[in-house]
């Protein structure tokens, strides 16, 4: 078992100022290293799990090129170090070493000088191309000279200590950016198999964890803001509703399981335990038992890792907002590991007598029963307590001339949602090519709603007639069970096929008791609010 990793971050939000944000990246296992000589030099192949994007940085000294890989662990049969001398005549040695802080260092030492290296992704992992000194020299010799690379004439000394034009302008400016941390090559949402996105004839867009953290998105709505074709739907009580390509998206899935179709009744989803968000656009959403023409949204939750770690973050911001969160992962054995994400949020608002309180606790367990059998458990508890606020009213074709902070309900209006989610997934490898899967998901949401609704406005006097709404209890639950068999086979000599067959059964139940009554009217220009005693 590897050592612990600790991370603590503090963020200050407000007036667009961010001091720090939580930084989290999954630890990737490097399971093998293979050196393959090529005509141009050497190919170093790092064998990693599928759908892995590694963050790398390259540096050079006189004789050695160094590639540092962040958030990676060497899990080689020979231990946590790899060395091979003279894999080619122009390369003196190649070594891989595990450094502190989950960093793997690949060092390539040349015979006379540091060789050029390039990092790319391939089918089995990460490929590092090492160009030998001979091939590099030949490529330079073959490149035709241009005016920009031709030798500049010697400049005379500038008068009065000023630089000449040749000395003032730089020959070249190189800007480098690392996009690997945002790269997600595979997605299960399109085909429910591990097919690369480039080989999937569907429109799939992914929001990885790195983007969620960089944006400081704590709500699903915020995480989806930059996804093309996706917009927020008609939100009246803070619930998550979306439109995809103009159509109402009635289906939001979690790890492939459909959540309740009563989407207008769901609480705003938290991103504390979300690894990435996958959006499948178009009528292919029928793959998830949905007839939505626009598409579907699939939330991929965080899974336990083989390396223990503890991450903590604390965000503060405007309107007395504060949000502590922890991400704790612990592998009990080589086959059993657990992870829990906890986040609490408390904030005020620019609206009068408005405050928000949220708590999310999300445990997860992975158990490798055998080399061929795996079992996963997921749970989530979400408590959301917020004011029920319908917003402002209009006079004519414009918003009434009242402060934006003014609420037209009552201080005791509130909406309390309490959600429980539980799911398990079972996988068994029937052979090297065929797999059996089974899973069950259960969701229950209990809501208590008490609010004062606007009814009719007298635009001349500003008197607003209102009604009371009370819903207690209001609960709905969703139960989904599915079974699948997936596999690979060939037809002919070189045509590969991935096949998935399955059946899914779901049941959704809702029960609500709604009470509606009259409420005192209010003057929107000079409001007088009531307390809960009027409900007696």
């Amino acid at each position: 078992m590897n050592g612990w990793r600790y991370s603590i971050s503090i963020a200050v939000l407000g007036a667009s100022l961010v001091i720090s944000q939580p930084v989290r990246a999954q630890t990737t296992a490097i399971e093998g290293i293979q050196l393959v000589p090529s005509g141009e030099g050497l190919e170093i192949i790092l064998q990693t799990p599928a759908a892995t994007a590694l963050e790398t940085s390259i540096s050079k000294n006189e004789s050695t090129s160094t590639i540092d890989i962040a958030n990676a662990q060497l899990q080689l049969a020979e231990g946590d170090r790899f060395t091979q001398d003279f894999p080619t005549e122009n390369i003196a040695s190649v070594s891989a070493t595990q450094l502190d802080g989950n960093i793997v260092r690949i060092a390539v030492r040349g015979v006379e000088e540091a060789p050029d290296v390039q990092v790319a992704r391939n089918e089995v992992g990460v490929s590092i191309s090492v160009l030998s000194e001979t091939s590099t020299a030949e490529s330079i010799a073959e490149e035709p000279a241009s005016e920009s690379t031709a030798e500049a004439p010697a400049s005379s000394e500038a008068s009065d200590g000023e630089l000449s034009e040749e000395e003032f302008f730089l020959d070249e400016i190189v800007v480098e950016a690392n996009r690997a941390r945002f790269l997600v090559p595979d997605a299960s949402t399109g085909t429910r198999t591990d097919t690369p996105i480039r080989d999937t004839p569907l429109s799939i867009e992914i929001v990885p964890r790195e983007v969620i953290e960089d944006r400081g998105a704590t709500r699903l709505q915020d995480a989806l803001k930059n996804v093309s074709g996706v917009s927020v739907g008609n939100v009246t009580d803070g619930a998550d509703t979306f439109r995809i390509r103009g159509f109402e998206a009635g289906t939001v899935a979690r790890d492939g399981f459909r959540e309740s179709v009563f989407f207008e009744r769901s609480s705003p989803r938290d991103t504390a335990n979300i690894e990435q968000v996958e959006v499948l656009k178009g009528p292919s959403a029928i793959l998830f038992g949905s007839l939505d023409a626009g598409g579907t949204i699939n939330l991929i939750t965080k899974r336990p890792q083989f390396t223990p770690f503890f991450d903590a973050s604390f965000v503060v911001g405007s309107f007395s907002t504060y949000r502590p969160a922890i991400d704790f992962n612990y592998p009990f054995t080589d086959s059993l590991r657990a992870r829990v994400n906890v986040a609490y949020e408390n904030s005020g608002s620019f609206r009068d007598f408005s405050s928000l309180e949220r708590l999310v606790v999300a445990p997860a367990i992975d158990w490798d029963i055998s080399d061929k059998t795996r079992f996963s458990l997921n749970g989530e508890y979400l408590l959301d307590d917020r004011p029920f606020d319908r917003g402002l009213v209009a006079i004519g074709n414009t918003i009434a001339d009242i402060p934006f902070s003014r609420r037209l309900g009552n201080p005791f209006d509130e909406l309390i949602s309490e959600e429980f989610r539980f799911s398990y997934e079972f996988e068994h490898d029937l052979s090297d090519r065929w797999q059996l899967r089974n899973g069950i998901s259960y969701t229950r949401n209990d809501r208590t709603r008490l609010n004062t609704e606007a009814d009719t406005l007298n635009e001349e006097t500003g008197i607003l007639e209102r009604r009371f709404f009370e819903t207690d209890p209001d609960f709905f639950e969703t139960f989904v069970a599915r079974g699948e068999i997936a596999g690979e086979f060939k037809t002919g000599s070189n045509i590969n096929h991935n096949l998935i067959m399955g059946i899914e059964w779901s049941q959704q139940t809702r029960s609500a008791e709604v009470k509606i009554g009259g409420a005192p009217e209010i003057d929107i220009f000079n409001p007088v609010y009531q307390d809960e005693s009027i409900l007696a």
Side-chain angles (χ1 to χ4, degrees):
M1 185 179 298
N2 295 298
W4 283 86
R5 172 172 61 80
Y6 298 91
S7 174
I8 298 178
S9 57
I10 299 175
V12 178
L13 303 179
S16 301
L17 171 63
V18 178
I19 293 179
S20 174
Q21 288 185 346
V23 177
R24 276 282 298 113
Q26 297 297 323
T27 302
T28 301
I30 299 177
E31 302 165 346
I33 299 178
Q34 184 179 4
L35 306 184
V36 181
S38 63
E40 296 182 349
L42 180 69
E43 197 81 9
I44 305 174
I45 299 176
L46 309 181
Q47 298 173 359
T48 64
T52 299
L54 298 180
E55 181 178 352
T56 61
S57 60
I58 301 174
S59 60
K60 278 186 178 184
N61 58 24
E62 293 183 357
S63 62
T64 304
S65 294
T66 302
I67 304 99
D68 286 340
I69 305 174
N71 297 296
Q73 287 283 338
L74 286 178
Q75 296 184 6
L76 309 176
E78 54 268 31
D80 60 356
R81 185 174 177 84
F82 170 89
T83 303
Q84 183 169 336
D85 295 329
F86 289 99
T88 67
E89 61 180 7
N90 294 316
I91 300 175
S93 67
V94 175
S95 65
T97 308
Q98 183 71 57
L99 305 180
D100 294 336
N102 290 333
I103 297 177
V104 173
R105 172 163 294 177
I106 309 295
V108 183
R109 184 164 60 90
V111 174
E112 296 183 0
E113 61 182 7
D116 292 329
V117 296
Q118 297 177 351
V119 181
R121 176 79 194 172
N122 60 25
E123 296 179 355
V124 298
V126 174
S127 174
I128 301 175
S129 300
V130 183
L131 301 180
S132 64
E133 301 162 13
T134 304
S135 61
T136 304
E138 290 176 353
S139 63
I140 295 175
E142 292 173 359
E143 184 177 342
S146 62
E147 293 182 3
S148 60
T149 59
E151 183 178 356
S155 60
S156 58
E157 293 187 6
S159 59
D160 300 330
E162 296 181 357
L163 295 176
S164 65
E165 183 177 351
E166 291 83 359
E167 293 173 317
F168 181 79
F169 289 102
L170 298 175
D171 291 336
E172 183 180 18
I173 298 177
V174 178
V175 179
E176 296 182 355
N178 185 7
R179 295 180 296 175
R181 61 191 295 260
F182 302 111
L183 175 64
V184 182
D186 302 334
S188 61
T189 299
T191 62
R192 298 182 85 150
T193 63
D194 293 329
T195 304
I197 296 177
R198 66 183 182 185
D199 298 333
T200 304
L202 300 170
S203 179
I204 303 173
E205 193 163 347
I206 298 178
V207 182
R209 183 67 198 177
E210 288 75 14
V211 172
I212 295 175
E213 292 180 347
D214 287 354
R215 290 181 58 88
T218 60
R219 303 286 187 276
L220 179 59
Q221 294 180 8
D222 298 329
L224 292 172
K225 279 185 177 179
N226 286 354
V227 177
S228 61
V230 177
S231 59
V232 177
N234 181 19
V235 180
T236 59
D237 54 4
D240 282 334
T241 61
F242 302 96
R243 288 188 176 91
I244 304 178
R245 293 183 172 179
F247 295 91
E248 201 78 39
T251 299
V252 174
R254 187 178 296 263
D255 294 322
F257 290 103
R258 288 186 301 152
E259 294 186 341
S260 173
V261 296
F262 303 119
F263 53 89
E264 77 280 3
R265 299 293 177 181
S266 65
S267 301
R269 294 169 177 87
D270 202 283
T271 62
N273 66 324
I274 301 301
E275 184 63 35
Q276 64 187 40
V277 182
E278 301 178 358
V279 181
L280 173 61
K281 304 173 186 177
S284 300
I286 196 173
L287 183 67
F288 291 85
S290 168
L291 297 179
D292 298 331
T296 191
I297 299 168
N298 189 19
L299 311 180
I300 307 300
T301 59
K302 296 178 180 179
R303 302 308 313 161
Q305 303 297 308
F306 289 96
T307 303
F309 60 79
F310 177 85
D311 288 352
S313 64
F314 188 83
V315 177
V316 295
S318 304
F319 308 111
S320 303
T321 298
Y322 62 93
R323 178 186 168 98
I326 63 171
D327 186 356
F328 176 71
N329 182 88
Y330 186 76
F332 295 99
T333 65
D334 292 339
S335 59
L336 181 63
R337 50 204 177 275
R339 185 173 184 175
V340 61
N341 283 268
V342 180
Y344 173 79
E345 182 175 336
N346 193 303
S347 67
S349 172
F350 70 95
R351 303 280 286 168
D352 294 337
F353 39 85
S354 295
S355 63
L356 167 71
E357 189 173 21
R358 283 172 66 88
L359 172 67
V360 57
V361 181
I365 296 176
D366 280 359
W367 179 25
D368 299 332
I369 302 175
S370 67
D371 293 339
K372 295 185 177 181
T373 308
R374 296 163 296 280
F375 183 76
S376 299
L377 281 174
N378 262 337
E380 181 180 292
Y381 170 77
L382 174 64
L383 176 64
D384 186 277
D385 186 351
R386 64 178 59 233
F388 196 101
D389 186 3
R390 289 294 194 185
L392 303 177
V393 293
I395 295 181
N397 59 359
T398 187
I399 297 175
D401 186 17
I402 59 178
F404 284 168
S405 62
R406 180 165 299 169
R407 284 183 57 186
L408 301 177
N410 279 307
F412 55 81
D413 292 352
E414 67 176 353
L415 175 65
I416 302 175
S417 298
E418 192 172 20
E419 292 188 6
F420 301 88
R421 292 188 179 93
F422 166 82
S423 66
Y424 85 78
E425 293 185 82
F426 174 84
E427 296 181 353
H428 178 71
D429 297 332
L430 302 175
S431 66
D432 294 339
R433 290 180 172 269
W434 290 92
Q435 186 181 78
L436 179 67
R437 306 172 187 166
N438 168 252
I440 287 178
S441 173
Y442 173 78
T443 303
R444 177 184 174 116
N445 187 306
D446 293 272
R447 290 162 55 98
T448 301
R449 168 186 166 187
L450 178 63
N451 69 292
T452 311
E453 292 270 2
D455 194 355
T456 304
L457 174 66
N458 187 322
E459 297 185 3
E460 295 181 359
T461 63
I463 301 299
L464 178 66
E465 297 180 2
R466 302 181 301 173
R467 296 178 296 167
F468 277 132
F469 278 79
E470 183 178 3
T471 305
D472 186 17
D474 179 3
F475 92 92
F476 54 87
E477 58 184 2
T478 302
F479 183 85
V480 180
R482 72 183 184 208
E484 299 171 347
I485 184 170
E488 303 175 2
F489 64 94
K490 281 188 177 183
T491 57
S493 59
N494 58 357
I495 303 178
N496 297 317
H497 303 270
N498 287 332
L499 176 67
I500 181 170
M501 299 178 294
I503 186 171
E504 181 179 287
W505 176 83
S506 65
Q507 175 178 302
Q508 297 171 339
T509 306
R510 180 182 179 188
S511 175
E513 181 180 346
V514 180
K515 300 177 182 178
I516 303 176
E521 59 189 21
I522 192 172
D523 185 346
I524 66 172
F525 299 107
N526 186 25
V528 177
Y529 299 104
Q530 294 82 37
D531 56 30
E532 293 185 71
S533 63
I534 64 174
L535 301 176

